[in-house]
Amino acid sequence: MTQQTQAAPFNGSDFSHGATKVVRGLQDAGFTAYVVGGAVRDLLLGQRPKDFDVATNATPEQIRQCFRNARIIGRRFQIVHVRSGGEIIEVTTFRGNHAAAQAGQHSKASESGRLLRDNVYGTLEEDALRRDLTINALYYDTSSNTLIDQLNGAADIEARMIRVIGVPEERYREDPVRMLRVLRFSARLQFDLAADTETAIASTRLMLGDIPSARLFDEWLKLFMNGFSAPTFTLLKHHDLIALLMGDNIGEALHEEQSASLQMRAMRNTDQRVADRRPVTPAFLLAALYWPAVEQLALRLEEGGEPTTQAIHSAGQQVVHNACQHLTIPKRFSLAMRDIWDLQPRLERMQPKKITDLLARRWFRAAFDLRLLREEAGNLGSQCSDFWTAQQKEHPDLVGSARPRRDDQPKRRRRPRGNVRAP
Ligand code: ATP
Ligand code: MG
């Protein structure tokens, strides 16, 4: 393999202050260090990187010693977070080849070949081969303004091509999350998939079921909350990965076309909000994506004699339970989802006595937005949303004004002693 070094088509000032400082800090201590991964890719595409990763031949412990604000995190894959100004730079030690490594505490694989631990260190050449995609294996030296491109990543960027490094099936077996990453980058960058990068998914897709649900939820957030949820969903569906990621009941619905339309509208809305830099919450999108399943199950319960509000409530509980077999949805989101669902039949009733109470509910606005989407997707007519639009105009200060319940709040880490916060 030849190491291709070339002058980079951008300059150091395109890079974050923090990343440049971290690279320089490591180089001053005698190590080699490069900005790597998404930031280099995005700059070559003329886009603004959202974060910066650095790769080095220093070990995590050596990295930590180079900086005042550095913390080693992770176990399966140790990395160091270096805080610089408001930024966090992720610094990783060059990964090496597992086959060549002595077995032991640094490398561990499951029976199916999934890597449970990846802390075998190596050279830059080996590190590049351990990365997921050619377009993510570009190294940039901020001091000399040079780019190292051993796997023709720049050519693939030019050709707008997602290509897994090595044999895709083996790489997916080592880490099935790479299949999700491939589709995420393809949707976000509008790049094509190289032939074997795509075909290998069919033979390894079931391995996604082995991924811990907490890691799958982290990945779900990247897939759905980064502004490209609609095209990503379409790709996931095409490759039959939705049920493996979110559970069977996501596609289960009474009126399939209407449900798909509701889900697509919710994703397009979320994507638009991200593009407009407006706030988004996973709770709303999750509530919309799983609503068809809730509706379906509630109908069955109603047929068994449960009143509507009770049926929606029980169905919501069951749907969240099933979803959590795949994704660890944090409680603050699942409670919100259930409030959004519980509010659906209540909004529909338009009871004058309940108006102020419902308007004040913390998740009223999200519940109203879901109602709007349901009306648009399901030809429900707009009587209900017109009613609540008028009420919101009449009582603008009331909307969402109820104090959040205690268990809606994310759990705060306990602060170190001596740091007393005002209530
Ligand atoms: P983003 O813009 O979403 O941050 P990124 O390419 O920087 O994209 P990260 O998740 O930040 O993605 O990962 C940083 C780099 O680490 C990637 O560019 C890739 O080289 C490598 N990487 C991340 N996850 C994996 C994985 N599962 N297998 C192999 N390499 C990976
Ligand atoms: Mg990144």
Side-chain angles (χ1 to χ4, degrees):
M1 184 188 328
T2 52
Q3 177 165 307
Q4 295 194 356
T5 306
Q6 54 193 285
F10 35 68
N11 61 58
S13 61
D14 291 329
F15 286 82
S16 83
H17 212 62
T20 314
K21 248 169 77 177
V22 168
V23 168
R24 196 167 328 116
L26 287 161
Q27 289 177 342
D28 287 350
F31 299 109
T32 54
Y34 302 88
V35 173
V36 67
V40 185
R41 176 199 69 220
D42 291 348
L43 282 170
L44 281 174
L45 281 166
Q47 296 175 1
R48 206 163 59 106
K50 69 178 174 46
D51 53 34
F52 285 82
D53 305 298
V54 168
T56 174
N57 64 348
T59 63
E61 190 48 42
Q62 288 168 331
I63 301 166
R64 198 172 62 84
Q65 284 167 9
C66 285
F67 305 99
R68 264 187 310 133
N69 290 318
R71 225 158 51 94
I72 299 179
I73 58 166
R75 196 175 127 83
R76 195 187 69 86
F77 190 94
Q78 273 195 346
I79 57 178
V80 185
H81 275 178
V82 181
R83 197 179 281 276
S84 171
E87 284 179 274
I88 291 185
I89 310 296
E90 253 182 43
V91 190
T92 52
T93 306
F94 294 147
R95 256 49 183 185
N97 187 344
H98 285 259
Q102 302 119 340
Q105 65 185 57
H106 303 301
S107 164
K108 195 171 166 201
S110 72
E111 270 174 30
S112 58
R114 186 161 68 87
L115 281 183
L116 302 175
R117 208 169 293 152
D118 182 3
N119 290 316
V120 175
Y121 301 131
T123 60
L124 182 148
E125 289 72 21
E126 290 167 334
D127 186 74
L129 291 169
R130 304 264 341 121
R131 291 184 179 268
D132 53 355
L133 310 176
T134 55
I135 60 167
N136 287 345
L138 291 152
Y139 297 72
Y140 176 73
D141 181 348
T142 47
S143 313
S144 61
N145 189 36
T146 48
L147 192 64
I148 300 179
D149 176 13
Q150 330 186 104
L151 301 166
N152 296 323
D156 278 338
I157 290 178
E158 183 84 11
R160 306 183 73 78
M161 184 65 75
I162 306 280
R163 191 188 311 278
V164 165
I165 295 166
V167 180
E169 190 174 327
E170 284 169 20
R171 303 305 310 285
Y172 294 155
R173 279 187 189 285
E174 275 177 5
D175 182 4
V177 167
R178 287 177 187 145
M179 291 184 273
L180 301 177
R181 290 178 59 87
V182 157
L183 300 184
R184 171 156 67 88
F185 287 121
S186 171
R188 170 171 146 200
L189 303 171
Q190 294 182 287
F191 278 21
D192 290 328
L193 300 176
D196 53 351
T197 292
E198 179 161 24
T199 51
I201 294 177
S203 47
T204 44
R205 50 181 279 283
L206 291 178
M207 287 187 68
L208 262 189
D210 302 338
I211 301 297
S213 53
R215 185 165 178 227
L216 272 194
F217 185 71
D218 286 347
E219 207 52 42
W220 185 90
L221 289 175
K222 294 187 198 165
L223 290 162
F224 286 87
M225 302 309 291
N226 282 348
F228 301 90
S229 64
T232 306
F233 186 86
T234 304
L235 277 181
L236 289 167
K237 208 163 162 183
H238 180 74
H239 290 280
D240 222 354
L241 296 177
I242 290 291
L244 287 159
L245 179 66
M246 301 184 68
D248 280 336
N249 57 12
I250 190 76
E252 192 182 296
L254 208 55
H255 307 289
E256 217 173 297
E257 220 169 282
Q258 284 176 12
S259 306
S261 152
L262 168 76
Q263 291 168 330
M264 209 28 99
R265 280 165 203 270
M267 290 186 284
R268 292 212 184 102
N269 256 0
T270 302
D271 292 347
Q272 191 57 50
R273 290 183 71 97
V274 174
D276 298 342
R277 295 174 189 273
R278 284 187 288 160
V280 285
T281 164
F284 174 73
L285 188 54
L286 285 164
L289 292 176
Y290 283 107
W291 169 255
V294 174
E295 203 178 21
Q296 161 107 346
L297 182 55
L299 199 74
R300 235 181 282 150
L301 296 173
E302 274 183 79
E303 282 164 6
E306 276 194 49
T308 310
T309 42
Q310 181 56 43
I312 296 271
H313 189 75
S314 313
Q317 193 166 16
Q318 187 61 46
V319 166
V320 163
H321 176 80
N322 293 348
C324 284
Q325 308 300 308
H326 297 263
L327 299 173
T328 308
I329 301 175
K331 202 141 189 198
R332 64 181 187 283
F333 298 143
S334 61
L335 287 171
M337 289 158 70
R338 293 182 52 197
D339 275 351
I340 294 169
W341 295 332
D342 283 349
L343 279 164
Q344 296 305 307
R346 297 196 162 96
L347 292 184
E348 203 162 335
R349 282 198 193 135
M350 298 177 268
Q351 283 174 300
K353 268 196 191 151
K354 298 277 167 79
I355 290 171
T356 51
D357 174 41
L358 293 186
L359 279 177
R361 294 279 281 266
R362 169 135 194 253
W363 293 101
F364 168 83
R365 190 61 221 195
F368 171 75
D369 286 344
L370 178 59
R371 172 73 205 181
L372 276 178
L373 291 181
R374 289 177 53 210
E375 288 180 3
E376 287 169 18
N379 302 322
L380 295 182
S382 64
Q383 198 197 347
C384 173
S385 62
D386 289 345
F387 174 84
W388 288 105
T389 303
Q391 297 307 325
Q392 290 176 77
K393 276 205 188 115
E394 204 161 305
H395 313 279
D397 298 337
L398 257 182
V399 177
S401 60
R403 280 173 66 86
R405 290 200 317 244
R406 263 175 74 88
D407 51 5
D408 269 356
Q409 294 292 303
K411 281 209 182 81
R412 290 223 172 82
R413 286 232 178 102
R414 200 171 280 170
R415 298 226 150 205
R417 263 172 299 151
N419 189 353
V420 181
R421 281 153 58 96

